[in-house]
Amino acid sequence: MMSSPLVRKAVAFGASTAVLAGMVAALAASPAQAGPKVGQAGPAAAQAGPKKPQPKVSVSTPKAAQRDYAGACPIKVNVSAKISVKATGKTTLAYRWLHGDGSKSKVKTVRIKGHGTKSVTVKQTATFKDDVKKGWEAVQVLSPRKVTSKKGYFSVTCAKVIELEEATKVSVRAWASPSSYVGSCTPGTKIDFTGLIRVSDPSWVRYRWILNGKVVDYGKTKVWRSKKVGFGISPRSSEHGYAVLQVLGPDRAYSNKAHYKVLCKSEAPATRVAVTDLVTATNHDGCKVGAHAVVRSTGPGRVEYVWSLNGQRVLRGDTVFSHGGKRTVTLPEKVLTGAATKGGKITLTVFGPRNSDSITQSYAACEAPKPTVSVSAVSMTGQRNEMCADKRGPGVDFKATLTSTGPTTVKYYWVVNGKRDHNTLERQVNGSLDVQWGVGGTHGASVTSGSIELVVISPNATSSGASQFTATCPPASTPTPAATPSA
């Protein structure tokens, strides 16, 4: 069989046997069947119509399962990406991985069936024995359309470990924060040392801190995978040195030297702190109290503060000023109990590099919720037919019920046919109370009708809503019928 560049290219891409067979059959076909060569147009191409568009293909940026690894080596780095193809039937997806060292993986193929956008997750695993500062992986799709993804980056840091008893492995690292300080040296100036302990198996770890050759702190902690431990110093004069974290058990291990440097410089003028604008707020719903105030500093430094409620400390905190200025500090709402519910005092005390200051403000006692009133719909309770003898419509009597959540004075008025019918009325209500009202008949009419409403204006605004009513004078020869409200 004759070879051709198309067949050789298919073999290089790792195409399946079925795909290769189809390509060979196409080459063996007659010119009319095979069509014109690539880049040429002929009668057959004109009859076949326009070239079928290639499916759309997209590739996500590869992502490492652990982007920045630090620990024992060799280590396997797992990388994955997602390829999306807008398929229109049977589609062969061919792709390969591009590596950060310039090499490429073998071509792999996936058969996709169906219509619409189909997604395939592809994976790659690489093993590293040494550090990789900036490694990357990319995916290159070769078929049905050539597309190359963005580079997915990762790093590998191989750490030396010390084998401990029972095959437990541990690594230790330490650092100072800040490692270099220039400024005023006060009790508020602090150098913090932090150590990171990593173990291969959960273990109880005994450790100690060594500062400039002297043991300054001991500890014991349970480490499941990794854990931070630390301590701090407050230099009062210029100095430099280092701290080391030493693991004592289950075996011995030392961290690196965490170096630090302090240069004390006096400030002119000295930083001063003050506290102003203390505001308290009593929340009667649940009987809680909160507060906020403004802390001011004339220069850089750390300011500590303490909130006290009726002489008892309830919250501590601190804030750091880089230059000076003001900060608002807040006391979150605290639930009041016992005598504190009747009112009291809140105090904020601040401590700066050179001085302290405090401010006190009273807070209001908790109050019981004020009573509220609701009102029922107005109902018609009676009909006065004696007005019918004066050639008027019958008089009509009404009732509504006021209900309060506690003892209170209720102010209200009645509205008849959309107009206020009198001045404001007052009643003392503690629970439920019926209030009544009546209207007279209309002259020259045998029917009295309209709407009536009870409106409450205090202690809260509410209304019964308008109710329609109709009352008719009875015929002279028949007994007086009972009045009924209209629907």
Side-chain angles (χ1 to χ4, degrees):
M1 179 180 294
M2 294 179 63
S3 176
S4 72
L6 180 60
V7 174
R8 290 196 297 272
K9 186 175 182 181
V11 172
F13 283 174
S16 65
T17 304
V19 174
L20 291 174
M23 292 180 177
V24 173
L27 291 172
S30 65
Q33 295 172 332
K37 294 183 179 179
V38 177
Q40 298 180 356
Q47 294 177 2
K51 184 179 179 180
K52 185 178 180 180
Q54 293 178 320
K56 293 182 178 179
V57 178
S58 62
V59 190
S60 67
T61 302
K63 183 177 181 182
Q66 188 171 0
R67 178 181 171 87
D68 298 304
Y69 170 81
C73 292
I75 178 64
K76 291 184 178 180
V77 177
N78 298 314
V79 185
S80 62
K82 185 166 71 174
I83 304 174
S84 298
V85 180
K86 191 171 184 180
T88 57
K90 294 183 179 179
T91 304
T92 299
L93 171 65
Y95 69 94
R96 62 185 173 189
W97 286 91
L98 307 181
H99 309 310
D101 60 1
S103 62
K104 304 174 184 179
S105 73
K106 294 182 179 180
V107 176
K108 300 180 181 180
T109 59
V110 178
R111 297 298 299 272
I112 299 175
K113 297 181 180 180
H115 295 268
T117 301
K118 306 294 181 180
S119 296
V120 177
T121 299
V122 296
K123 299 180 180 180
Q124 168 79 3
T125 299
T127 302
F128 298 93
K129 298 180 180 179
D130 301 307
D131 292 354
V132 179
K133 293 184 177 180
K134 196 173 183 181
W136 59 266
E137 292 284 331
V139 177
Q140 186 179 58
V141 177
L142 303 171
S143 174
R145 178 192 295 270
K146 190 171 184 179
V147 177
T148 303
S149 73
K150 294 181 179 179
K151 296 177 181 179
Y153 291 95
F154 62 91
S155 68
V156 174
T157 302
C158 296
K160 295 182 179 179
V161 298
I162 303 174
E163 294 186 0
L164 303 182
E165 61 184 20
E166 298 181 356
T168 300
K169 296 180 180 181
V170 64
S171 62
V172 191
R173 184 166 60 92
W175 62 91
S177 178
S179 59
S180 180
Y181 173 81
V182 178
S184 175
C185 293
T186 69
T189 304
K190 195 172 184 182
I191 304 296
D192 293 312
F193 295 95
T194 305
L196 178 65
I197 303 173
R198 292 182 181 272
V199 295
S200 59
D201 298 297
S203 305
W204 279 100
V205 176
R206 292 183 296 109
Y207 66 91
R208 66 181 182 181
W209 283 97
I210 302 173
L211 180 66
N212 298 323
K214 296 182 180 181
V215 176
V216 293
D217 189 38
Y218 282 91
K220 181 179 180 181
T221 185
K222 182 66 175 289
V223 182
W224 296 95
R225 188 170 181 179
S226 64
K227 193 171 187 178
K228 291 181 179 180
V229 296
F231 79 106
I233 61 173
S234 296
R236 301 301 299 270
S237 61
S238 299
E239 63 178 84
H240 62 88
Y242 65 90
V244 173
L245 175 60
Q246 180 187 13
V247 173
L248 302 173
D251 204 343
R252 291 180 179 269
Y254 289 86
S255 74
N256 57 293
K257 290 183 178 180
H259 292 274
Y260 71 97
K261 184 177 181 179
V262 176
L263 178 59
C264 296
K265 289 186 176 182
S266 60
E267 297 178 349
T271 297
R272 307 285 294 182
V273 297
V275 57
T276 61
D277 305 321
L278 175 57
V279 178
T280 65
T282 302
N283 184 350
H284 301 290
D285 184 10
C287 195
K288 304 173 186 176
V289 68
H292 61 82
V294 176
V295 177
R296 302 176 187 271
S297 177
T298 61
R302 177 178 297 183
V303 179
E304 298 181 353
Y305 58 86
V306 175
W307 286 99
S308 299
L309 177 62
N310 296 321
Q312 299 294 321
R313 294 182 177 182
V314 293
L315 181 66
R316 300 179 67 95
D318 64 72
T319 182
V320 177
F321 288 87
S322 300
H323 303 286
K326 62 182 181 178
R327 304 272 178 84
T328 298
V329 295
T330 302
L331 174 66
E333 287 188 338
K334 302 292 182 182
V335 177
L336 300 174
T337 59
T341 63
K342 300 178 181 179
K345 295 181 178 181
I346 292 178
T347 300
L348 176 60
T349 305
V350 296
F351 305 90
R354 291 288 187 270
N355 71 307
S356 62
D357 191 21
S358 67
I359 188 172
T360 300
Q361 178 68 44
S362 299
Y363 67 87
C366 294
E367 299 177 359
K370 294 182 179 181
T372 58
V373 174
S374 60
V375 58
S376 69
V378 179
S379 61
M380 195 165 69
T381 59
Q383 176 175 324
R384 289 173 275 111
N385 292 325
E386 63 273 13
M387 295 185 180
C388 294
D390 297 332
K391 296 183 179 180
R392 292 189 298 167
V396 185
D397 297 322
F398 303 94
K399 179 188 77 173
T401 302
L402 299 171
T403 302
S404 69
T405 59
T408 186
T409 299
V410 181
K411 296 182 179 181
Y412 66 96
Y413 60 86
W414 293 89
V415 176
V416 178
N417 295 328
K419 296 181 179 180
R420 184 166 175 165
D421 204 36
H422 57 86
N423 294 329
T424 300
L425 302 175
E426 293 187 8
R427 298 293 296 272
Q428 297 297 317
V429 182
N430 186 10
S432 296
L433 178 69
D434 292 337
V435 291
Q436 299 178 346
W437 194 248
V439 297
T442 305
H443 287 282
S446 61
V447 177
T448 303
S449 63
S451 65
I452 188 167
E453 179 182 7
L454 176 61
V455 177
V456 175
I457 58 176
S458 178
N460 57 283
T462 186
S463 167
S464 66
S467 297
Q468 303 295 320
F469 66 90
T470 300
T472 305
C473 288
S477 58
T478 58
T480 303
T484 57
S486 62

